[in-house]
Amino acid sequence: MRECAGYSLLSPEAEKYLNFKIHRIQPLEPFMVGQYSVIAFPANHAPGMGAMLYAIEANGRAVFYGTDTATLLERAWQAFREHNVRFDVVILDHTYGPEQPGRDHLSARQVIEHADRMRAEGVLRSDARIFATHIAHEGNPAHPDLVVFAK
């Protein structure tokens, strides 16, 4: 990316050099990408940077990609209800361990709390699967112990 130094990733020069087209999106406004219906939700992480989480749906199946975020904002929960989304797969950030408070990312316990709330609010389909990702060494026990906790 040194070749892009001196100009914005959103500039025509960057688009030409990197051979892509930037499409600006607005949070909570559905849009289409080919056959995929997408809704961007504001992440609760680096708010000034425009971090987003995504609900993607096609062919009657939906995934929520909720990584690199702290606790979901209430307006995201409200938008789940307004857009009547029901997820088959949910992927959530899980940076911090069970005994750490989540600040800029979710902790293990917060992942559980989010999964429980999603079930309670009907956001998950009955056979939905929830995956944790972005697992860091910050407060997480060794893998065998984390497996026990996860069960």
Side-chain angles (χ1 to χ4, degrees), residues 26-44:
Q26 295 299 315
L28 310 176
E29 291 183 17
F31 61 97
M32 296 296 294
V33 178
Q35 68 176 353
Y36 300 97
S37 174
V38 181
I39 304 172
F41 299 84
N44 191 3

Side-chain angles (χ1 to χ4, degrees), residues 17-76:
Y17 182 79
L18 297 171
N19 192 29
F20 66 72
K21 177 70 178 151
I22 296 286
H23 298 275
R24 292 181 187 248
I25 60 172
Q26 295 299 315
L28 310 176
E29 291 183 17
F31 61 97
M32 296 296 294
V33 178
Q35 68 176 353
Y36 300 97
S37 174
V38 181
I39 304 172
F41 299 84
N44 191 3
H45 177 78
M49 301 293 286
M52 300 278 189
L53 314 172
Y54 297 93
I56 304 165
E57 185 175 9
N59 302 318
R61 307 288 285 174
V63 62
F64 179 68
Y65 191 73
T67 65
D68 208 15
T69 190
T71 303
L72 294 181
L73 299 168
E74 280 304 314
R75 65 184 178 161

Side-chain angles (χ1 to χ4, degrees), residues 9-147:
L9 187 61
L10 301 177
S11 72
E13 295 88 2
E15 287 185 356
K16 181 179 178 188
Y17 182 79
L18 297 171
N19 192 29
F20 66 72
K21 177 70 178 151
I22 296 286
H23 298 275
R24 292 181 187 248
I25 60 172
Q26 295 299 315
L28 310 176
E29 291 183 17
F31 61 97
M32 296 296 294
V33 178
Q35 68 176 353
Y36 300 97
S37 174
V38 181
I39 304 172
F41 299 84
N44 191 3
H45 177 78
M49 301 293 286
M52 300 278 189
L53 314 172
Y54 297 93
I56 304 165
E57 185 175 9
N59 302 318
R61 307 288 285 174
V63 62
F64 179 68
Y65 191 73
T67 65
D68 208 15
T69 190
T71 303
L72 294 181
L73 299 168
E74 280 304 314
R75 65 184 178 161
W77 292 101
Q78 181 180 358
F80 289 161
R81 291 186 297 274
E82 289 172 2
H83 293 283
N84 196 32
V85 292
R86 295 192 66 222
F87 299 112
D88 298 281
V89 174
V90 172
I91 304 161
L92 292 173
D93 185 281
H94 167 209
T95 298
Y96 300 114
E99 307 310 321
Q100 285 191 286
R103 298 173 303 276
D104 52 349
H105 297 278
L106 294 175
S107 71
R109 294 201 188 280
Q110 288 171 315
V111 169
I112 293 168
E113 291 167 4
H114 278 66
D116 289 345
R117 182 171 176 183
M118 287 178 164
R119 279 187 196 94
E121 294 197 15
V123 174
L124 300 176
R125 295 185 196 263
S126 61
D127 60 345
R129 298 192 61 187
I130 299 172
F131 296 92
T133 190
H134 201 232
I135 300 170
H137 297 287
E138 298 186 44
N140 278 302
H143 183 264
D145 297 328
L146 193 54
V147 168

